Amino acid sequence: MVNILIVDDEHIERKALKQILERNMTGICIVGEAENGRKAIHLAQELQPDLVMMDIQMPGTDGLAAIREIRALQPQMQFIIVSAYDTFEYARQALRMDVSDYLLKPSKTDTIVETVQHVVKRIEQQKFEQEMRSREKLQLQKLAPIVEADLVTQLLFDHVHDIHLAEMMHCFGIESFQRAFVLVVFLIPKKAEEEESRCQTEATYRKVRQLFSQQETGWVGAMSGKQIPIIVCSDPGASYRSQVSSLVRKIINLCSRSDSAFDCFIGVGGEYETLEEVAKSYREAMLASIDLTLPSRHCLHEDWADRRQQDSAAALQMEEQILEQLRRGNGDEVMHLMGALIDHYEAAGASIAETQQKVLGITLLLARVLAEMGVQLETPYFSLQAGHYSQLKMEARLCIGQLMKPVAKMKTTMTPDLFQSLKQYIITNSHKNITLETTAAYVKLSPYYVSKLFKEQSGTNYIDFLTECRVRNAKKLMADPEKSLKEIALDVGFQDPNYFSRVFKRSCDQSPTDYRRALLSNR
């Protein structure tokens, strides 16, 4: 319904215009009448009409002045000037104020109806588009946490193409990027003897998400194994350490509240200039979290490295390599590197007790990384205090072997049939708002392993495969000349037609418009 306000100082003119519109048009409602410009301004604010039929020459405030004042407060309102004065100056002023149309008195009924219908159709189209934008915005708000978690998973464990990354940043209101770092929040039950409920864990996760979204720029990942990875975009107006200190203090204070079921420890990775390097910052945050009992309840990677100055650069590098090989699922290489690390400490003359403590710390760290990847396992431990280095190596191999068993089991589930089932699910549902997390839930795997499965089986990642499906479906729909490109974009699963256009051009080396023109010309 389009609401109309009629403004004219002649009572008979208002009644005649109202009668013409109501008799010859549907989908409109005359919500009010005004006999002068001042009353028109008042009624425009009170009744909020979509369209105002405005006379120009009226006592007091004239029509042009009224339009100017109403437009200042309600720029979306449309106007049709209805006047007996056919002068260039009035027309020029009307054009300047972006008036929708100009009717001369007297006008034939057909002319009046045709003019008003033209403007009403434009208003209805604008209302439809506004409603669609509102729905899309609401839908994005509902999907934002899932999309955000997907983005973090793929940035930390995979690769996101620049065009997808730019679009996701835009969706979250981040227009530019300079530097970033990763922190990992470990939730530690306050009462160790009690198993915290899933509701308590999720409630704490939501509070951390809310705290971060209100005060920082970046993305909060999905929680796995009571660990929350967060990618933080650096604040150009603050130093790295001051931003870390402020954020860490807020999260610790949140968990220190009496109604919280958890304490926390926060590991912080280094600051890097590109989002492609955040995976390294994540590994550093995990390394900084080897000792969750530190009184400070947080540790920066650079501080962790400073405290370990007695260890050689080679030892620190091997620890980072162990994490990287674990991330890739290379259990044999993890065992080999752990053995090499033990050999390194033996050659450096470290005591067996000190080395065992360091190896146990690294093993616990590996368990946390696997938990972050969605692997279910028990906390690793050494069955005895090693008396010599060969015994320590054997204990380390047994411990890592136990850690890698669930990984190997998960790998055995990654059959070609499972991958085909996964692909078919995406192909069938690509027009919907499916995410990495919902797709992973369908095959009962962690998002990390679904992402890994795509890399291993197809050489591409989840987002690229989903995009290929949508582009392929768009090509089919372009054969229908009745469908607009915007309709096609929405039908195949893209929420933003401009994003669809950019992705299509990257995929097909030509714009959707050029592709469709060539397609239809060859028919």
Side-chain angles (χ1 to χ4, degrees):
M1 184 69 67
V2 173
N3 296 323
I4 300 176
L5 172 66
I6 298 175
V7 184
D8 198 301
D9 60 338
E10 295 288 343
H11 177 76
I12 192 169
E13 292 283 356
R14 297 198 302 273
K15 293 302 177 187
L17 183 55
K18 179 180 178 182
Q19 190 175 67
I20 289 171
L21 296 178
E22 289 181 336
R23 284 184 177 179
N24 294 277
M25 294 183 65
T26 58
I28 64 162
C29 178
I30 309 301
V31 294
E33 299 177 26
E35 65 275 12
N36 58 59
R38 183 50 52 192
K39 187 172 182 180
I41 294 168
H42 172 74
L43 288 180
Q45 291 177 309
E46 179 184 334
L47 302 175
Q48 296 290 309
D50 302 298
L51 173 62
V52 180
M53 309 286 291
M54 183 75 76
D55 188 15
I56 292 182
Q57 287 288 355
M58 294 180 291
T61 304
D62 67 22
L64 293 176
I67 291 173
R68 194 177 295 110
E69 195 166 331
I70 293 170
R71 266 277 161 78
L73 298 173
Q74 294 146 308
Q76 79 286 352
M77 204 169 287
Q78 302 293 311
F79 296 88
I80 296 177
I81 286 180
V82 185
S83 176
Y85 295 91
D86 183 17
T87 66
F88 173 74
E89 180 58 27
Y90 284 146
R92 186 174 66 83
Q93 290 189 53
L95 286 171
R96 279 182 175 178
M97 288 185 284
D98 195 27
V99 168
S100 298
D101 218 319
Y102 200 114
L103 278 170
L104 284 174
K105 295 179 186 177
S107 291
K108 293 181 180 179
T109 297
D110 289 348
T111 302
I112 295 172
V113 171
E114 183 182 349
T115 300
V116 176
Q117 278 182 334
H118 176 72
V119 177
V120 165
K121 283 183 180 178
R122 190 189 310 164
I123 292 171
E124 288 173 337
Q125 180 63 28
Q126 289 172 347
K127 282 188 169 185
F128 173 76
E129 290 175 356
Q130 179 61 40
E131 184 182 356
M132 289 298 293
R133 283 194 294 271
S134 298
R135 288 181 181 178
E136 289 169 9
K137 186 176 180 180
L138 181 61
Q139 199 169 34
L140 279 174
Q141 288 174 344
K142 291 179 179 178
L143 284 171
I146 300 174
V147 175
E148 187 175 351
D150 281 0
L151 177 61
V152 172
T153 297
Q154 296 196 73
L155 281 172
L156 297 187
F157 301 113
D158 200 344
H159 172 72
V160 181
H161 195 281
D162 288 347
I163 194 167
H164 300 307
L165 182 56
E167 182 61 25
M168 289 178 174
M169 288 176 67
H170 176 71
C171 286
F172 292 109
I174 303 173
E175 301 302 332
S176 62
F177 169 81
Q178 296 296 327
R179 300 171 71 85
F181 59 92
V182 174
L183 56 83
V184 180
V185 180
F186 295 84
L187 300 181
I188 305 167
K190 288 182 177 178
K191 297 180 180 179
E193 69 277 5
E194 294 183 12
E195 182 63 28
E196 305 303 328
S197 71
R198 182 176 179 181
C199 288
Q200 289 175 316
T201 307
E202 290 181 350
T204 303
Y205 174 64
R206 286 195 299 271
K207 288 176 183 177
V208 172
R209 279 189 57 86
Q210 184 179 20
L211 171 71
F212 185 80
S213 64
Q214 289 174 347
Q215 303 188 31
E216 299 290 336
T217 301
W219 304 283
V220 179
M223 180 171 60
S224 182
K226 294 189 175 67
Q227 298 168 205
I228 309 171
I230 304 175
I231 298 174
V232 186
C233 293
S234 300
D235 180 357
S239 69
Y240 161 67
R241 277 191 169 270
S242 65
Q243 187 179 7
V244 168
S245 176
S246 174
L247 182 54
V248 163
R249 184 171 61 253
K250 290 170 186 173
I251 296 174
I252 290 175
N253 288 343
L254 176 70
C255 291
S256 297
R257 287 166 42 178
S258 58
D259 60 345
S260 174
F262 297 94
D263 284 323
C264 69
F265 186 92
I266 304 168
V268 186
E271 186 183 39
Y272 290 94
E273 292 186 355
T274 67
L275 281 171
E276 287 73 16
E277 295 176 291
V278 295
K280 183 176 181 181
S281 184
Y282 167 73
R283 293 194 294 274
E284 291 176 348
M286 296 301 288
L287 282 169
S289 308
I290 283 182
D291 185 1
L292 300 181
T293 65
L294 288 175
S296 63
R297 295 167 66 182
H298 76 281
C299 182
L300 279 70
H301 177 262
E302 58 187 38
D303 294 340
W304 169 82
D306 288 343
R307 282 199 295 270
R308 295 191 54 185
Q309 284 181 351
Q310 73 276 15
D311 292 330
S312 69
L316 299 179
Q317 187 177 18
M318 273 190 276
E319 290 181 11
E320 292 194 11
Q321 288 174 349
I322 288 171
L323 280 184
E324 177 60 20
Q325 292 304 322
L326 180 73
R327 187 183 73 84
R328 295 181 182 181
N330 298 333
D332 291 342
E333 190 61 25
V334 171
M335 286 191 183
H336 170 73
L337 286 168
M338 187 67 86
L341 184 63
I342 294 171
D343 287 340
H344 172 83
Y345 284 126
E346 181 180 15
S351 70
I352 187 72
E354 180 186 358
T355 302
Q356 181 163 343
Q357 188 62 36
K358 288 179 178 178
V359 171
L360 179 58
I362 295 169
T363 306
L364 289 169
L365 176 61
L366 297 182
R368 293 183 203 126
V369 173
L370 289 173
E372 178 69 32
M373 294 177 182
V375 179
Q376 302 298 319
L377 41 77
E378 296 180 359
T379 302
Y381 63 92
F382 286 171
S383 60
L384 50 82
Q385 176 64 50
H388 47 80
Y389 272 96
S390 60
Q391 190 178 31
L392 177 56
K393 281 175 138 181
M394 184 177 295
E395 280 292 311
R397 278 197 297 270
L398 289 172
C399 203
I400 293 172
Q402 286 297 113
L403 285 179
M404 299 307 293
K405 274 185 180 179
V407 180
K409 184 178 179 181
M410 192 172 284
K411 278 186 174 182
T412 61
T413 65
M414 294 183 187
T415 62
D417 288 344
L418 177 66
F419 182 60
Q420 290 304 318
S421 174
L422 188 60
K423 286 175 64 177
Q424 190 56 51
Y425 173 81
I426 295 171
I427 291 168
T428 304
N429 296 279
S430 63
H431 62 289
K432 301 177 182 177
N433 284 313
I434 58 173
T435 65
L436 180 61
E437 190 168 327
T438 56
T439 304
Y442 173 73
V443 291
K444 298 179 181 178
L445 288 173
S446 73
Y448 164 77
Y449 269 95
V450 168
S451 180
K452 183 177 176 64
L453 182 59
F454 264 96
K455 274 289 187 184
E456 291 180 349
Q457 297 285 343
S458 67
T460 187
N461 62 32
Y462 166 82
I463 291 181
D464 285 340
F465 182 77
L466 176 60
T467 300
E468 286 173 13
C469 293
R470 288 172 171 171
V471 168
R472 188 162 53 248
N473 291 338
K475 287 179 177 180
K476 294 176 184 177
L477 294 178
M478 284 181 190
D480 180 0
E482 298 300 317
K483 273 188 172 289
S484 71
L485 289 176
K486 182 176 180 179
E487 287 175 315
I488 291 171
L490 295 173
D491 285 349
V492 300
F494 289 100
Q495 299 301 316
D496 181 355
N498 293 325
Y499 176 46
F500 162 67
S501 182
R502 293 194 298 272
V503 167
F504 190 96
K505 188 170 184 178
R506 178 178 69 86
S507 177
C508 304
D509 292 325
Q510 58 184 150
S511 69
T513 302
D514 291 342
Y515 178 88
R516 185 181 218 181
R517 187 183 298 116
L519 178 68
L520 296 178
S521 66
N522 292 330
R523 292 178 64 178

